[in-house]
């Protein structure tokens, strides 16, 4: 897991936007791909990006509550 606490709020927001775009692209890629190996690899990448997005949002939200 990355240490997102070192990022500034604008950097967190930028990273959230990047990860959301990555997820959008991966979802489009998954819809257009075929084959078990490709689907599994894409699903793993989507899960990784979703986990990162969740962690980034959690960090941002915890700062907002302070």
């Amino acid at each position: 897991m990355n240490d997102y606490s070192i990022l500034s709020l604008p950097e967190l927001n930028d990273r959230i936007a990047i990860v959301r775009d990555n997820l959008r692209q991966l979802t489009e890629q998954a819809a257009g791909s075929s084959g078990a190996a490709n689907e599994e690899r894409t699903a793993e990448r989507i899960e990784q990006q979703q986990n990162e997005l969740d962690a980034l949002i959690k960090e941002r939200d915890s700062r907002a509550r302070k």
Side-chain angles (χ1 to χ4, degrees):
M1 178 177 234
N2 293 324
D3 182 11
Y4 299 114
S5 65
I6 62 173
L7 298 176
S8 67
L9 189 56
E11 289 171 326
L12 270 173
N13 286 327
D14 288 345
R15 186 68 194 142
I16 288 169
I18 290 167
V19 173
R20 282 184 172 150
D21 187 54
N22 289 348
L23 280 165
R24 182 191 56 76
Q25 291 178 33
L26 286 167
T27 302
E28 290 174 2
Q29 181 181 1
S33 70
S34 63
N38 286 339
E39 291 173 7
E40 184 176 338
R41 195 171 331 122
T42 302
E44 288 172 2
R45 291 176 62 202
I46 288 172
E47 181 180 10
Q48 175 202 24
Q49 290 292 292
Q50 186 62 54
N51 290 339
E52 183 174 1
L53 179 60
D54 293 344
L56 286 161
I57 290 172
K58 182 179 177 180
E59 176 66 29
R60 183 188 64 189
D61 291 350
S62 73
R63 291 183 191 188
R65 287 190 290 269
K66 291 181 180 180

